[in-house]
Structures are given as C-alpha cells and as structure tokens.
Amino acid sequence: MDEGGAGQRLDNYLIKVLKGAPKTLVYRIIRSGEVRVNKGRAAADTRLAMGDEVRVPPLRLAERSPEEAAAVPAREFPVLFEDDCMLVINKPAGVAVHGGSGVSFGVIEQLRRARPESRFLELVHRLDKETSGILVIAKKRSALTVLQDHFRERKAHKTYAALVIGQWPGSKKVIDVALHKYLTAEGERRVRAVRGDSDEGRRSISLVKVMQHFKAFSLLDVTIKTGRTHQIRVHLASEGHPIVGDEKYGDFNLNHALARGTAVAGVRMGDLPGGRFERMFLHARYLSLPHPVSEASLVFEAPLPSECQSLLAALDAANG
C-alpha cells in the first residue's frame, strides 16, 4: 500500500484500482473473504494504512477503452467553497458521485476531466445519485485523510431537507432504528430497518424537525448522527412517511403521478416547470465541519433547487 491508498476505506480503494469491476463484485469478494489485508480477512469499511498488503483474487475485468475514457464529458458544478485543500460543490440530482454499477461516469470523473491540471481530486463522502446538495472533494491526499476522519468522528454535521408523504408528528424528533444493508437477487444495493437487538443491524440515528405541514405532505429537516447507506430514506419510510419521489423506498403510485403531471392532493402541477416533478425530494442543504488544515469552523449551505422550490410553492397554494 502506497500513499495513494493510505486512509481510504477498503471498498473505495478497490473500486478505484480495480477499474472496470462492478461494485457488486467488489463487495462480494470482500464479504466472501477473498480479499486479504495483511493476510487476514477485512471488512468493506476497513481503513488502509501505509504499508498494508492488499491481495485480491484473480479477476477478469473489462478495461475502459481510450474511446470510453474520452467520452467522459468535462463538467464543472456550482462551487460553494474552494481553496488549496478542498472543493465544496452543490451536486444536482440525477448525477452519480462516481462511475460504477452501470454508471459510466459521475461527478468525480467529470471534474477530473474538466480540471486536467489538478493532480489529485477525490470524494470525501458520498451522496446518492438521486440526492442533490453539498458534496465535499479533497484536492490533497493529506486533506482527504483528515476530512474523512472528521466525518467518521462525527465532527461533520449534515442536515437534509426532505419532503415526505403525510403529516409527520411534531413529537417524533428522534429515529433510533438499526439498519441492515443487503443486495437483491439482481445485485442492487438495498437497506432495511431491523430490530435493535438484531445481529445484522447497525445502530443508526436521525434527528427530525418539522419545517412545514401541507395538506398531505410534510417538509422536514433531518440531521444524521450516523452516516449509513440510504439512512434518511429508510428511516423516514420505516415510520410510514416515505420521501416524495423515492423510487426505491417510496410510494410508486404517487411518484408516478407527480412525474406525469397528474394533480395530487389539490396541487396544481401546471405551476411547476414542465408541469412535472421527476426527482426525489432529498437535498443536502447544510454542512459544518473543521477545515482540514486550519481547523477553523466551516459552514456551507446550498439553497433548494428550483424544482423543489416550485413544488413547495404549489403545495403552499394548495393549502389555501
């Protein structure tokens, strides 16, 4: 293990170095014990250190051709902050943070293409493809390690705006429900809520605050105390209030109606751009964390995307 992999999670490291390997394959060989770190089995979230020996089984991987590499479009994203150490952007919905699992390229590949002079650009954390909002990218290896430590040690505080179906009870302010990550028969990553005493679950905590009630919906601020995969989506759905537009854990009929412009709960869809709402209403709107070098407190805020603002305005009008 050289400096390039030090401080990274094992799964992230393998996804990067095993170019062309589907993420489902990476997680399968880790779970099966075929990946060895210093001759022992390791978990996907094992942190690698300088000098670690990582061994993987022989794999037949499809190499990306020069034509495919050249097909990655150069793209910049709205910048919320940038210095020599880090870049903070406002990621749009519908864009994956990195390529893999059927996605040819994501935010990081497009940024590298747009900034050929940058010697180092790496994701500090992740957002789901369907989620918009604040995303942090490191511009130095040393900054990456420190920033990832901030997230792991809960020095980074993240709040999301989420529109859910139904009237969220104002008294329900804490969701402390364990989550279990698994793969479907088709190899798709999913998460389910499990009992706290279940061996397969990991404790997960979300704090919920009602920002506004509508006739059939609630706008919430959700602050996560743990950073599990799909945590907010599964936590809210497990309480009977799935996120609007969530294709994995939401209400299919409602999502379909919004996407095709059918009126829902008195909402005038014609007031929305294009008369439709075709995304998940989950937005990483706030992040605070220490600077990786100066330790100064940094606070970032990303305004709601226009389509989300338009839907809220339509819901507000429907309130009468």
Side-chain angles (χ1 to χ4, degrees), residues 28-236:
R28 180 174 63 76
I29 62 175
I30 293 174
R31 286 199 310 273
S32 66
E34 296 175 82
V35 177
R36 297 279 169 160
V37 176
N38 300 328
K39 300 183 180 181
R41 295 182 65 140
D45 59 358
T46 296
R47 293 281 170 178
L48 300 175
M50 184 80 73
D52 280 351
E53 180 183 60
V54 180
R55 291 190 177 184
V56 298
L59 301 172
R60 294 179 63 87
L61 303 176
E63 290 290 336
R64 175 177 284 186
S65 69
E67 292 78 14
E68 289 175 317
V72 176
R75 182 178 178 182
E76 290 281 359
F77 297 87
V79 175
L80 301 174
F81 175 85
E82 183 172 9
D83 65 6
D84 292 339
C85 299
M86 59 191 290
L87 168 66
V88 183
I89 66 170
N90 187 2
K91 184 188 88 67
V95 183
V97 293
H98 58 69
S101 295
V103 178
S104 299
F105 53 82
V107 168
I108 195 66
E109 290 86 4
Q110 293 178 86
L111 276 174
R112 288 169 182 159
R113 186 80 173 171
R115 299 178 174 217
E117 75 285 354
S118 298
R119 298 181 61 186
F120 187 92
L121 288 173
E122 286 288 351
L123 295 164
V124 173
H125 62 114
R126 301 178 185 179
L127 289 178
D128 291 342
K129 178 180 178 180
E130 302 87 351
T131 304
S132 57
I134 301 169
L135 182 67
V136 184
I137 292 124
K139 297 172 67 175
K140 293 182 178 180
R141 168 63 59 190
S142 56
L144 176 66
T145 301
V146 174
L147 288 167
Q148 288 181 332
D149 285 344
H150 288 343
F151 277 85
R152 187 172 62 255
E153 296 166 3
R154 302 182 188 176
K155 294 179 181 178
H157 304 284
K158 296 186 288 184
T159 298
Y160 294 71
L163 183 69
V164 300
I165 300 171
Q167 298 291 298
W168 186 274
S171 60
K172 184 65 177 180
K173 298 180 180 180
V174 180
I175 305 175
D176 187 349
V177 175
L179 299 176
H180 170 62
K181 185 163 57 176
Y182 66 99
L183 292 177
T184 65
E186 296 75 27
E188 186 178 1
R189 181 178 60 175
R190 290 293 179 93
V191 177
R192 62 171 171 256
V194 297
R195 295 187 315 179
D197 59 355
S198 170
D199 291 338
E200 62 183 10
R202 300 182 68 187
R203 188 181 186 190
S204 307
I205 302 172
S206 301
L207 309 182
V208 182
K209 179 180 180 181
V210 177
M211 303 305 293
Q212 188 172 359
H213 276 137
F214 302 97
K215 284 184 178 178
F217 304 91
S218 301
L219 179 63
L220 309 177
D221 253 4
V222 185
T223 300
I224 55 175
K225 306 303 287 185
T226 51
R228 312 298 184 209
T229 299
H230 298 173
Q231 176 174 322
I232 295 176
R233 301 165 67 174
V234 177
H235 266 177
L236 299 183

Side-chain angles (χ1 to χ4, degrees), residues 16-33:
K16 179 181 177 181
V17 299
L18 298 178
K19 300 184 185 302
K23 285 193 287 186
T24 52
L25 173 61
V26 171
Y27 285 107
R28 180 174 63 76
I29 62 175
I30 293 174
R31 286 199 310 273
S32 66

Side-chain angles (χ1 to χ4, degrees), residues 262-301:
T262 303
V264 176
V267 179
R268 288 172 42 188
M269 298 301 292
D271 293 340
L272 274 69
R276 303 167 184 269
F277 189 77
E278 302 177 280
R279 57 158 294 181
M280 179 172 68
F281 199 124
L282 183 61
H283 177 71
R285 70 165 194 83
Y286 173 92
L287 171 67
S288 67
L289 78 173
H291 189 275
V293 176
S294 69
E295 292 291 320
S297 178
L298 301 176
V299 175
F300 309 111
E301 295 188 68

